[in-house]
Amino acid sequence: MNSSRPVTIKDIARRFRCSPSTVSRALNDHPAINEDTRKNIQEYAKEVGYQRNEVSLSLLNKKTASLGVVVPTISNYYETAVIEGLHTALQPLGYTLNICVTNENYLLEKEYLSKLLSNRTEGIFLSVSQETYDSGYYEHLESVIQRKTPLIFIDREYEDFETSRATVDDYHGAFAAVEHLINIGYKEIAHLKGPNGLTVSEQRFKGYVDCLKKYDMPVRDELIINTNFKVESAIVPTKRLLEMASPPDAIFGANDQVAIGAMRVVKDKNLKIPQDVGLIGFDNSPISAYTFPSLTTVSRPGRKIGMEASRLFMNQINGSEDFLHESIVLPSELVIRESSLRI
Amino acid sequence: MNSSRPVTIKDIARRFRCSPSTVSRALNDHPAINEDTRKNIQEYAKEVGYQRNEVSLSLLNKKTASLGVVVPTISNYYETAVIEGLHTALQPLGYTLNICVTNENYLLEKEYLSKLLSNRTEGIFLSVSQETYDSGYYEHLESVIQRKTPLIFIDREYEDFETSRATVDDYHGAFAAVEHLINIGYKEIAHLKGPNGLTVSEQRFKGYVDCLKKYDMPVRDELIINTNFKVESAIVPTKRLLEMASPPDAIFGANDQVAIGAMRVVKDKNLKIPQDVGLIGFDNSPISAYTFPSLTTVSRPGRKIGMEASRLFMNQINGSEDFLHESIVLPSELVIRESSLRI
DNA sequence: ATATCTAATGCAAACGTTTGAAAAAATTTA
DNA sequence: TAAATTTTTTCAAACGTTTGCATTAGATAT
């Protein structure tokens, strides 16, 4: 009795010299059970700390009420906002979120997906890792499709699959940011690009390039520099930018982190923001409003993405045979603050 | 065959007119299976995308290889670092982490714990929510203990339970921070306190108070102000501080976020950091090194805490009957940067 | 006393997999 | 060809729970 084995329905049945069915029904308030029996059993169950074994139930009902959330990282504001959105929408429906962090690693992603399928997860929200993107492998996704487990892409996506997806319009966000810099009067706009190959990086990059072209401004390769989205990775590149013969007068960072890194370097050079150098980030992370000067940025609706993704999932599992997959694209929005407001 | 029902061992057995046992053994490379049979079955299984139902296995073996990680939030650097540490240590051992975010909510925490137990999670890492702390309810933990599911406290803890725990020495970190300010020569040190009731807030607060006392400096109530650990929550309080008749000449923030909020306000008042106002944060979040000026802070070894907690867990499940619970306290470390270096 | 009805409980199968022991089939030996 | 041996396969139980159907006990009506 003080063994560590959890109490089962059979144990209770033995104790009351009745069948497991009776115990089960008693615990579930089945009407065909005698009032006293029910009360006794329920009391005893509570006393010994009986707790239904959901594993056996999952097996029986083929329902696990668990969903997989596979993301490359949870270290950024945006990702946690998405998760919060998913959580807000799905927790009340009884779903448990199984959050898997791939660290941008293909093998880990593959392993997680396989594990989720083996565990009979009822749906998967996936933002593919950078490695997956780079490698172009997607067999691990085939098996998800084959098993007809609802798969919802978040942000990063494969075009090739027939699935629902919820993404942010990074392209137009970046475009608006650069356009804003041009309108203010900045002439030489550098870009701290995100990791190559990621949709988000490439879309923002494309927005940057297309906007320059629209205004007949040259796209100078030496003003486009790679980062890994982390603060540190912006330091050396920004220094290099500012020490060029004809340095840029504005910098568009692919996210707030690198923009803040750049901000530091600019200040170290005793240059003024926004007078000497204009600066824009991406994400509208909480801190961006309180840097000095505050950072102009592009806000992405992470929480909303999570909730939309949930909606897409619910549509799919409630949908008929001829259900059509949806692609939601939420707008991103330019948030103008001090770092770009040269008068 | 294109039904959505996953292929089972029985399906394969029917196909080969053999028993499920044979299929099971074939798939698991059991030596007593004929080479040809094995090959055929394995090929076919791959072809139809057979995937072992782990739910049934969990039921059979009473092992789920899944661990619960129950935390109040994943929006801060520290928490994600802890999770990363847990992940690094436990993923290679085949464990799946089930990350549950309570949003500081007692009921949610209770529900998650109950669900984890029902799902026969093999261990739980818990950082209790603020509400739980405030309310003082802990029945929901009793059932975890009663079921002998290993429970490892992270950072926030109940003193009352016989469990292993891994915490950071916030007290001495805070003490060192304040001592540093005093050594530099700051006379009136304010504290932006974290949410009341949380161990981390209270420990840091205590370190602050005790250090002042050690140096015979008055503890002025009006210099101690509450925040909720978020940037915004530091703005108004800091303004109020700086507009006092005799304002503080240094501010010790309970985390980097509020310190950065304070930094912004100080600059808005055209005061210089560290000349007019010294500033220290807590967490050593990546950005703190790149603010302008860079932020002196106290580093907490989040990743290490995660790995230590994993070790405690492994000790417990491998331990004998007379296993003794361990309390690990990792030191925090003052990281001196520009914001406190008045010369 | 017997048939009829109602209330309460038990039986057995199912979910998918593994595994020790038994059985069957194939092979070798005498 | 029969016996002994080895190889391969099957049987049956187990994990914990639910549920349609059958059964039992007790009560009521005839």
Side-chain angles (χ1 to χ4, degrees):
Chain A
M1 133 258 186
N2 64 355
S3 116
S4 69
R5 187 175 65 78
V7 178
T8 73
I9 270 191
K10 288 185 185 175
D11 297 328
I12 302 181
R14 247 189 306 275
R15 160 72 174 69
F16 282 94
R17 290 190 165 66
C18 69
S19 75
S21 352
T22 301
V23 177
S24 169
R25 288 199 250 263
L27 292 173
N28 292 318
D29 289 324
H30 192 286
I33 293 292
N34 182 285
E35 188 67 9
D36 289 343
T37 321
R38 209 205 56 188
K39 220 181 281 176
N40 288 335
I41 290 183
Q42 289 191 352
E43 263 171 29
Y44 180 75
K46 188 156 203 178
E47 192 187 317
V48 296
Y50 169 78
Q51 213 147 6
R52 225 230 233 86
N53 184 333
E54 294 286 346
V55 177
S56 77
L57 253 198
S58 294
L59 181 58
L60 188 61
N61 298 332
K62 304 183 175 197
K63 298 224 163 152
T64 55
S66 78
L67 301 173
V69 180
V70 182
V71 289
T73 166
I74 52 169
S75 304
N76 297 318
Y77 171 69
Y78 176 74
E79 276 79 10
T80 58
V82 171
I83 292 175
E84 199 206 317
L86 288 169
H87 189 273
T88 305
L90 295 167
Q91 202 269 336
L93 301 175
Y95 286 106
T96 291
L97 298 186
N98 216 314
I99 297 162
C100 309
V101 184
T102 63
N103 275 320
E104 308 284 10
N105 184 291
Y106 167 74
L107 280 176
L108 211 47
E109 176 175 307
K110 180 174 165 158
E111 195 177 325
Y112 272 129
L113 286 177
S114 158
K115 220 165 203 169
L116 287 171
L117 287 184
S118 280
N119 287 326
R120 299 304 189 258
T121 296
E122 294 180 29
I124 295 177
F125 298 92
L126 172 64
S127 179
V128 302
S129 77
Q130 187 181 356
E131 266 189 38
T132 306
Y133 229 94
D134 294 348
S135 69
Y137 291 146
Y138 55 93
E139 293 96 62
H140 59 314
L141 298 186
E142 292 282 10
S143 57
V144 181
I145 306 284
Q146 189 182 6
R147 272 272 284 290
K148 309 218 173 177
T149 299
L151 176 64
I152 317 285
F153 278 106
I154 290 182
D155 288 331
R156 308 185 186 174
E157 40 167 342
Y158 281 124
E159 305 288 339
D160 314 12
F161 282 105
E162 274 258 337
T163 57
S164 295
R165 47 195 79 187
T167 59
V168 173
D169 186 351
D170 284 301
Y171 174 81
H172 285 102
F175 195 100
V178 176
E179 192 164 40
H180 166 67
L181 287 172
I182 295 174
N183 286 339
I184 293 285
Y186 293 103
K187 301 292 179 203
E188 297 283 351
I189 303 170
H191 180 42
L192 297 174
K193 188 169 179 277
N196 289 328
L198 289 190
T199 310
V200 289
S201 307
E202 300 302 342
Q203 289 297 306
R204 291 170 200 177
F205 176 58
K206 196 155 177 294
Y208 161 81
V209 170
D210 287 2
C211 184
L212 290 184
K213 284 184 180 161
K214 176 180 169 192
Y215 288 91
D216 288 323
M217 295 173 67
V219 178
R220 291 170 55 192
D221 277 352
E222 67 273 25
L223 293 188
I224 298 160
I225 305 199
N226 257 89
T227 71
N228 66 1
F229 272 155
K230 298 190 177 170
V231 208
E232 311 91 81
S233 69
I235 305 302
V236 176
T238 307
K239 275 188 189 144
R240 210 165 352 119
L241 279 175
L242 297 180
E243 284 161 6
M244 286 172 56
S246 72
D249 61 353
I251 300 176
F252 168 43
N255 71 358
D256 287 345
Q257 304 281 314
V258 298
I260 288 173
M263 182 182 281
R264 168 74 208 213
V265 175
V266 172
K267 286 180 174 177
D268 277 339
K269 296 259 175 219
N270 279 316
L271 294 169
K272 291 239 181 309
I273 304 172
Q275 292 79 7
D276 303 322
V277 181
L279 191 56
I280 298 194
F282 211 110
D283 270 3
N284 193 23
S285 52
I287 252 180
S288 63
Y290 299 101
T291 54
F292 190 86
S294 58
L295 185 65
T296 294
T297 186
V298 180
S299 117
R300 309 199 263 170
R303 202 161 178 284
K304 221 179 206 171
I305 283 282
M307 301 192 69
E308 281 298 307
S310 308
R311 196 175 59 73
L312 294 179
F313 166 72
M314 292 309 296
N315 279 355
Q316 184 158 356
I317 60 167
N318 294 329
S320 52
E321 272 304 310
D322 55 346
F323 163 80
L324 285 182
H325 290 286
E326 247 183 287
S327 275
I328 298 275
V329 180
L330 294 184
S332 52
E333 198 186 344
L334 183 64
V335 179
I336 299 175
R337 299 208 183 95
E338 300 161 346
S339 69
S340 64
L341 277 188
R342 183 169 71 179
I343 320 163
Chain B
M1 129 257 185
N2 64 355
S3 116
S4 69
R5 187 174 66 79
V7 177
T8 73
I9 269 191
K10 288 184 186 175
D11 297 328
I12 302 181
R14 245 188 308 275
R15 160 73 175 65
F16 283 92
R17 289 191 166 67
C18 70
S19 74
S21 354
T22 302
V23 177
S24 169
R25 290 197 169 97
L27 292 173
N28 292 319
D29 289 323
H30 192 285
I33 293 292
N34 181 285
E35 187 66 11
D36 290 341
T37 321
R38 209 205 54 187
K39 219 181 281 176
N40 288 335
I41 290 183
Q42 288 192 353
E43 263 171 29
Y44 180 75
K46 189 156 202 177
E47 192 187 316
V48 296
Y50 169 78
Q51 212 145 7
R52 224 228 234 87
N53 185 332
E54 293 288 346
V55 177
S56 77
L57 253 199
S58 294
L59 181 58
L60 188 61
N61 299 332
K62 303 182 174 199
K63 296 220 166 154
T64 55
S66 78
L67 301 174
V69 180
V70 183
V71 289
T73 166
I74 52 169
S75 303
N76 297 319
Y77 170 69
Y78 176 74
E79 275 80 11
T80 59
V82 171
I83 292 175
E84 199 205 317
L86 288 169
H87 190 272
T88 304
L90 296 167
Q91 202 270 336
L93 301 175
Y95 285 106
T96 292
L97 297 186
N98 216 314
I99 297 162
C100 309
V101 185
T102 63
N103 276 318
E104 307 285 10
N105 183 291
Y106 168 74
L107 280 175
L108 211 47
E109 176 175 307
K110 180 173 164 160
E111 195 176 323
Y112 273 127
L113 286 177
S114 158
K115 221 165 203 169
L116 287 171
L117 287 185
S118 280
N119 287 326
R120 299 303 189 256
T121 296
E122 295 180 30
I124 295 176
F125 298 92
L126 171 64
S127 179
V128 303
S129 77
Q130 187 181 356
E131 267 189 37
T132 306
Y133 230 93
D134 294 349
S135 69
Y137 291 145
Y138 55 92
E139 294 95 63
H140 58 316
L141 298 185
E142 292 281 11
S143 57
V144 181
I145 307 282
Q146 187 182 7
R147 272 273 282 289
K148 308 217 173 176
T149 299
L151 176 64
I152 317 284
F153 278 105
I154 290 181
D155 288 332
R156 307 184 187 176
E157 40 167 341
Y158 281 123
E159 305 288 339
D160 315 12
F161 282 105
E162 273 260 336
T163 58
S164 295
R165 46 196 79 188
T167 59
V168 173
D169 186 351
D170 284 301
Y171 174 82
H172 286 102
F175 195 101
V178 176
E179 192 164 41
H180 166 67
L181 288 172
I182 294 175
N183 286 339
I184 294 285
Y186 293 103
K187 301 291 179 203
E188 297 284 352
I189 303 170
H191 180 43
L192 296 174
K193 186 169 179 276
N196 290 327
L198 289 190
T199 309
V200 289
S201 308
E202 301 301 343
Q203 289 298 304
R204 291 170 200 176
F205 176 57
K206 195 154 179 292
Y208 161 81
V209 170
D210 286 2
C211 185
L212 289 184
K213 283 185 180 159
K214 176 180 170 191
Y215 288 91
D216 288 325
M217 295 171 67
V219 178
R220 291 171 55 193
D221 278 352
E222 66 273 25
L223 294 188
I224 298 161
I225 305 200
N226 257 90
T227 70
N228 67 0
F229 273 155
K230 298 190 177 168
V231 208
E232 312 90 81
S233 69
I235 305 303
V236 176
T238 308
K239 274 187 188 145
R240 208 160 359 115
L241 280 175
L242 297 180
E243 285 162 5
M244 285 172 57
S246 72
D249 60 354
I251 300 176
F252 168 44
N255 72 358
D256 288 346
Q257 304 281 314
V258 298
I260 288 173
M263 182 182 281
R264 167 73 207 212
V265 175
V266 172
K267 287 179 172 178
D268 277 339
K269 296 260 176 218
N270 279 316
L271 295 170
K272 291 236 180 316
I273 302 172
Q275 292 78 6
D276 302 322
V277 181
L279 192 56
I280 299 195
F282 211 112
D283 270 3
N284 193 23
S285 53
I287 255 181
S288 63
Y290 299 101
T291 53
F292 191 85
S294 57
L295 184 66
T296 295
T297 185
V298 181
S299 118
R300 310 198 262 171
R303 202 162 178 284
K304 221 178 207 171
I305 283 282
M307 301 191 69
E308 282 298 308
S310 308
R311 196 174 61 71
L312 294 179
F313 166 72
M314 292 309 296
N315 279 355
Q316 184 158 354
I317 61 168
N318 295 328
S320 52
E321 271 304 310
D322 56 345
F323 162 80
L324 284 182
H325 290 284
E326 248 184 287
S327 276
I328 298 274
V329 180
L330 294 184
S332 53
E333 198 187 345
L334 183 65
V335 178
I336 298 174
R337 299 209 183 96
E338 300 160 347
S339 69
S340 65
L341 278 187
R342 183 170 69 179
I343 322 163

